[in-house]
Amino acid sequence: MFFAKETAEEYQLNPEKMPKHIAIIMDGNGRWATKRSLPRKAGHKAGAEALEKIIYAAKELGLEHLTVYAFSTENWKRSEEEVGAIMDILRFYLKNYFKKFVKDDIRMHVIGDKTRLDQDIQDAIEEIEALSKEKQGMTVHIALNYGGRDELRRAVGKIAQDVAEGRLAAADVTEDVITNALDTAGTPDPELMIRTSGEERISNFLLWQIAYSEFYFSDMLWPDFDKKELEKAIYYYQNRERRFGGRLK
Ligand code: IPE
Ligand code: IPE
Ligand code: MG
């Protein structure tokens, strides 16, 4: 019944059951713009502004990791104009705004295959990651040209190379070896996965890491997503019974 609550004040979050890591599929920018008779790129800009607010909201709530899906390996299929607009927004944020996050003690980390991004974007990513690597407040992982299958393909390639060159025996390829070969190495799995815009699918996000995540699907379009809705998702999570394949007594 907790879905019926109307105001944030009513979501009594339990500080002892806060997730450490939330992953978000930020979907619905295009529909948000279309509803307002605006070009899709206006939706992406509004989406970036929503992300900015959610990063600070997540930090205030005490999360350690926030992973957001910004651009998938499949998103290149969109028009050149739309891809260009998304990359321009990304460029702007990387080169200007992200420094503000760093000042606020936030570590920035990019997951995905960076090699397909423009060189100046790759350079800006390297710079911001280096600048923020000691920050302790919270880590924001931005998934860029990210696909769960592509990430696994790259991890398998690295492991195969280690085996071929004699650094690792095939029999020693444990789950930990795979976990540590992924872009997310060192980050705990997300306890909660949120997708906005009413779609209920994974769209190739974090396939390995979400084995036991709870899912929260919000009907809100991403640019409208706010702290209150984030709290609602966490409230939902805190009231789930996680079993991990076992049984509660
Ligand atoms: C999510 O919004 C942002 C990206 C995929 C880059 P969409 O652009 O997918 O918005 P809809 O789903 O078309 O509304
Ligand atoms: C998933 O959204 C990717 C991002 C949010 C970056 P899409 O809009 O690309 O996914 P589909 O096409 O609805 O599955
Ligand atoms: Mg979409």
Side-chain angles (χ1 to χ4, degrees):
M1 283 327 296
F2 34 84
F3 283 105
K5 300 202 172 182
E6 301 269 304
T7 64
E9 293 74 57
E10 288 178 77
Y11 300 115
Q12 292 289 337
L13 298 181
N14 178 349
E16 278 161 29
K17 281 171 78 178
M18 286 303 283
K20 285 189 166 55
H21 182 182
I22 295 182
I24 308 182
I25 301 176
M26 309 184 289
D27 197 15
N29 293 349
R31 277 163 283 172
W32 183 93
T34 303
K35 258 174 61 182
R36 288 164 178 74
S37 309
L38 294 168
R40 291 180 64 86
K41 86 173 175 202
H44 295 307
K45 189 164 172 283
E49 285 160 14
L51 173 59
E52 211 178 290
K53 292 196 195 108
I54 288 302
I55 287 175
Y56 285 110
K59 187 167 177 263
E60 278 166 33
L61 287 165
L63 298 191
E64 292 176 20
H65 299 273
L66 178 71
T67 301
V68 292
Y69 207 3
F71 194 84
S72 76
T73 45
E74 287 71 37
N75 286 148
W76 297 105
K77 290 186 219 156
R78 298 188 181 194
S79 72
E80 221 180 292
E81 189 192 351
E82 183 172 357
V83 171
I86 294 170
M87 291 299 156
D88 282 346
I89 292 168
L90 178 66
R91 198 174 256 117
F92 173 79
Y93 270 81
L94 272 169
K95 293 185 182 177
N96 304 289
Y97 218 90
F98 281 14
K99 296 217 169 77
K100 179 169 157 25
F101 297 143
V102 180
K103 272 200 207 98
D104 291 322
D105 203 27
I106 294 168
R107 180 164 85 94
M108 306 300 296
H109 176 231
V110 171
I111 60 170
D113 182 359
K114 286 165 267 201
T115 60
R116 195 171 166 188
L117 303 171
D118 286 350
Q119 191 58 49
D120 70 311
I121 293 184
Q122 292 187 43
D123 293 346
I125 291 170
E126 208 174 300
E127 192 191 330
I128 205 78
E129 285 184 336
L131 196 68
S132 70
K133 69 174 190 296
E134 309 290 339
K135 299 296 171 189
Q136 307 282 335
M138 177 176 79
T139 302
V140 177
H141 307 267
I142 314 246
L144 282 181
N145 189 30
Y146 176 89
R149 288 185 173 179
D150 182 65
E151 182 190 36
L152 280 161
R153 176 191 66 77
R154 287 183 286 108
V156 169
K158 275 187 257 176
I159 294 167
Q161 186 132 23
D162 283 346
V163 171
E165 293 171 9
R167 286 186 293 273
L168 184 70
D172 292 335
V173 180
T174 58
E175 289 191 7
D176 280 348
V177 168
I178 297 170
T179 297
N180 291 328
L182 297 173
D183 298 344
T184 51
T187 305
D189 290 341
E191 296 97 322
L192 173 63
M193 163 76 81
I194 297 171
R195 182 170 187 148
T196 58
S197 88
E199 308 294 351
E200 300 189 359
R201 57 175 169 264
I202 293 304
S203 303
N204 203 11
F205 197 34
L206 302 178
L207 299 179
W208 174 271
Q209 299 87 341
I210 57 170
Y212 271 102
S213 303
E214 298 291 335
F215 287 83
Y216 181 82
F217 296 106
S218 166
D219 285 332
M220 274 189 171
L221 300 173
W222 174 252
D224 295 326
F225 193 86
D226 56 10
K227 189 175 185 198
K228 181 177 153 191
E229 186 71 1
L230 178 65
E231 287 172 338
K232 189 173 173 184
I234 296 172
Y235 187 82
Y236 166 85
Y237 160 79
Q238 293 190 336
N239 286 280
R240 304 296 304 159
E241 183 185 276
R242 303 186 83 201
R243 299 192 187 139
F244 302 101
R247 299 186 52 180
L248 295 186
K249 279 184 240 122

